[in-house]
Amino acid sequence: MKSTAEIFGENVFNVKVMKARLPKEVFKEVMKAIDDDQPLSSEAASVVANAMKDWAVEKGCTHFTHWFQPMTGITAEKHDSFISPTDDGQVILRLTGKELTQGEPDASSFPSGGLRATFEARGYTAWDPTSFAFIKEGVLCIPTAFCSYGGEALDKKTPLLRSMEVLNKQALRVLKLFGNEDVTSVKTTVGPEQEYFLVDAEGFKKRKDLIYTGRTLFGKLPPKGQEMEDHYFGAIKPRVQAFMKDLNDELWKLGIFATTEHNEVAPSQHELAPIFTTTNIATDHNQLTMEVMKKVAKKHGLECLLHEKPFDGVNGSGKHNNWSLSTNTGVNLLEPGDTPYENAQFLLLLTAVIRAVDEYQDMLRISVASAGNDHRLGANEAPPAIISVFLGSDLQAVIDAVENDLPYNGSDKETLKIGVDVLPPLPKDTTDRNRTSPFAFTGNKFEFRMLGSSTNIAYPNTVLNTAVAQILKEYADKLEGSSDFTNDLHKLIQSDIKAHKRILFNGNGYDDSWVKEAEERGLSNSRTTPDAFKHFLDEKNVELFTSHGVYSKTELVSRKEIGLEKYCKLLHIEALTMVDMAKQDILPAVSSYASTLADSVLTLESANASAVFEKDTLSELTSGLTNAYNALNKLKEDIAQSEKIEDFEKRADNIKDVIIPDMDSLRSEVDALEASTDAAYWPVPTYGELLFGV
Ligand code: ADP
Ligand code: MG
């Protein structure tokens, strides 16, 4: 058997492989392309392509594909074979430099949110050499960005790369102010913790709701839910253990640093955390991780649910986006450090993040808004829809001291002077563990916890990077000409803390009193996707993205359109699935049980036996059936109305205000019927079977 070290990265065309297989000069050029975003010469691209092809063919590949992330949220690929005919009727295996660096998938069936109407339908993909090529299912996958010929980004990756570049530029300006002459690049790093559910494949196959929508649309809670919290970090079941081992092996082969795995709070919920890496690579890896999870689960007779809310009444799944900034010299810029100089730089960056989150809270909320995530955010679950920043008591004490010109904890000085004083050590474990905070400082990074489990992390990170870049730009503009740097720095941090401290909140984010307090503080609280999206094109947001060239106005408009369209379509499918299940499976089953009961009543009474249970249940069921049927009809009528609304923004509102409440009423009627129906008649696997069945 191969060791983990041998397995790790065996399906990746990484630095080690390139070093071994490329001529020295070409290898150097590739490394330069990776480190400094320099384009590769066409000669070098040909050499790389050929080496890549040889490597892939040796590993049994016959096809290659450009692998990209269109705005659907999942990844796309179109396989081409390496085979190329020769003059004498033979074939050779070939990958040209041009095939490596540029592709032309037919873009017309990917969502473009109007970009297609205005611009050419065709798009092209362009190689992103910073993310290594890899082999998946015998196909060489080349990570690419996807753009229209007019240059508009048709994917999630291009804006992310732009935002990283913008942040790099502004962060370098700020670092210069602190004399970091050796730093030539700053990259954002991300470690996304991925939550998921595993259910038995047999049970899954019997539920149309899981098949069509990824979540259960009906189902009453079993007597035991998650209240005992005995699942969290509990012993992992052998079948799940086998899945996790297999999953790790598959991820390691792809060079993905999957490390920790444990059970989550809900029964049959689990989490996987990778070791963090540069954001664009982390994005690719997270997309791959989700795909591999689903595939490996099937091999084990399981289904992996990545939906944000597979089960009502049970915790949903999120993705914690651990985010930081790292220099090419290996310094984590959100590490507080232990000298006055390191502390000062840290505090400025910290303040920049605080201010960015405050000023662009609506945009951050939008970046994680989806039909699935609406079940978590704003539904009394982790975390709330209100964005706030948690610093932990030690760092909060420092911030308070700076704001009010006071001494900080344990100091005998009169006041805390940035750039002169040394901060007290900030113990890591006291900074974490406020699990209710949507945006928490956890010692040397921020953890953005509002992402849904199925979200592509590119978008929230694009927003975060750009917002922070904007604030750093303002800081650099102010401080670059300063003649009294230490003093001006202190004043800047102090005034920005004063101006943005409303976003700092260290209490319990689930508490109702926080909702009220947040409102008094003027923080926004968009509970639903349609509400959040109302701010998508606010002037401030458009200005942010266009001024830095991260999104053009048209690109933003297209993303809003696609987001709303997706929301409408998903909920439309959910509503139709409910109608289908209720009408074709559940109500008929309850009705058969009711008629069996009616027969029993006759039989029992003719034998002069008591039929109290049968009669009571029958009357519960018949009135329940009537209610459910009425709710079903109302939903059907409202769906028909909703389908007529052409404008997606209006339709999304209609869905939120009319369709979702209809779905909720139908569900509650059906769930009540489930409680009174003979289990043998119930046509789909129950929550108990799904949640405790693995
Ligand atoms: P836990 O949250 O369980 O205490 P850690 O805080 O060590 O564990 O890490 C959680 C996640 O944060 C991991 O995916 C880890 O790789 C990631 N992480 C740690 N440091 C950074 C960093 N500097 N930038 C981005 N992500 C990071
Ligand atoms: Mg965490």
Side-chain angles (χ1 to χ4, degrees), residues 340-478:
Y341 146 91
E342 286 168 341
N343 290 167
Q345 183 179 295
F346 163 72
L347 285 174
L348 185 67
L349 291 167
L350 179 81
T351 310
V353 177
I354 292 170
R355 177 166 160 196
V357 174
D358 186 30
E359 285 192 2
Y360 298 101
Q361 47 181 292
D362 49 350
M363 212 48 227
L364 284 165
R365 171 68 184 88
I366 289 167
S367 78
V368 297
S370 69
N373 220 10
D374 282 0
H375 296 286
R376 298 172 64 236
L377 312 175
N380 267 336
E381 212 188 293
I386 307 161
I387 302 203
S388 62
V389 177
F390 170 82
L391 294 180
S393 48
D394 297 291
L395 189 53
Q396 185 66 50
V398 169
I399 292 291
D400 291 343
V402 174
E403 183 202 344
N404 302 306
D405 279 328
L406 290 169
Y408 55 87
N409 289 352
S411 160
D412 47 10
K413 293 227 173 149
E414 284 192 343
T415 60
L416 170 57
K417 189 84 186 121
I418 292 168
V420 180
D421 291 328
V422 183
L423 294 184
L426 301 169
K428 226 174 163 179
D429 38 353
T430 66
T431 56
D432 193 2
R433 307 313 157 207
N434 183 330
R435 289 313 195 176
T436 67
S437 176
F439 204 98
F441 183 70
T442 50
N444 57 5
K445 62 188 186 291
F446 275 98
E447 191 167 333
F448 186 22
R449 300 189 177 127
M450 291 173 100
L451 284 73
S453 46
S454 67
T455 307
N456 180 323
I457 65 170
Y459 186 29
N461 282 295
T462 302
V463 173
L464 185 55
N465 293 344
T466 314
V468 173
Q470 169 60 27
I471 309 303
L472 292 180
K473 174 183 180 292
E474 289 178 40
Y475 287 178
D477 288 349
K478 263 202 191 118

Side-chain angles (χ1 to χ4, degrees), residues 45 96 179 312 364 370 418 440 527 530 542 547 590 659 685:
T96 65
D312 230 33
L364 284 165
S370 69
I418 292 168
R527 284 176 177 270
V542 175
S547 71
V590 177
I659 303 291

Side-chain angles (χ1 to χ4, degrees), residues 616-638:
D616 283 0
T617 311
L618 183 59
S619 84
E620 264 173 47
L621 289 182
T622 43
S623 70
L625 272 172
T626 307
N627 293 344
Y629 185 57
N630 289 339
L632 171 66
N633 283 334
K634 168 139 178 31
L635 175 59
K636 272 168 71 179
E637 281 158 26
D638 289 336

Side-chain angles (χ1 to χ4, degrees), residues 573-590:
I573 295 172
E574 288 190 359
L576 292 179
T577 305
M578 277 190 111
V579 168
D580 192 288
M581 284 177 78
K583 185 98 198 222
Q584 298 189 307
D585 304 321
I586 297 175
L587 300 193
V590 177

Side-chain angles (χ1 to χ4, degrees), residues 590-653:
V590 177
S591 168
S592 334
Y593 177 50
S595 55
T596 313
L597 281 174
D599 289 346
S600 305
V601 171
L602 287 180
T603 318
L604 288 168
E605 287 189 339
S606 67
N608 278 330
S610 143
V612 181
F613 163 72
E614 289 75 7
K615 276 169 132 174
D616 283 0
T617 311
L618 183 59
S619 84
E620 264 173 47
L621 289 182
T622 43
S623 70
L625 272 172
T626 307
N627 293 344
Y629 185 57
N630 289 339
L632 171 66
N633 283 334
K634 168 139 178 31
L635 175 59
K636 272 168 71 179
E637 281 158 26
D638 289 336
I639 293 173
Q641 290 305 314
S642 175
E643 282 168 348
K644 291 186 196 141
I645 307 173
E646 274 172 27
D647 178 81
F648 283 117
E649 188 153 9
K650 293 201 179 91
R651 188 159 167 198
D653 281 336

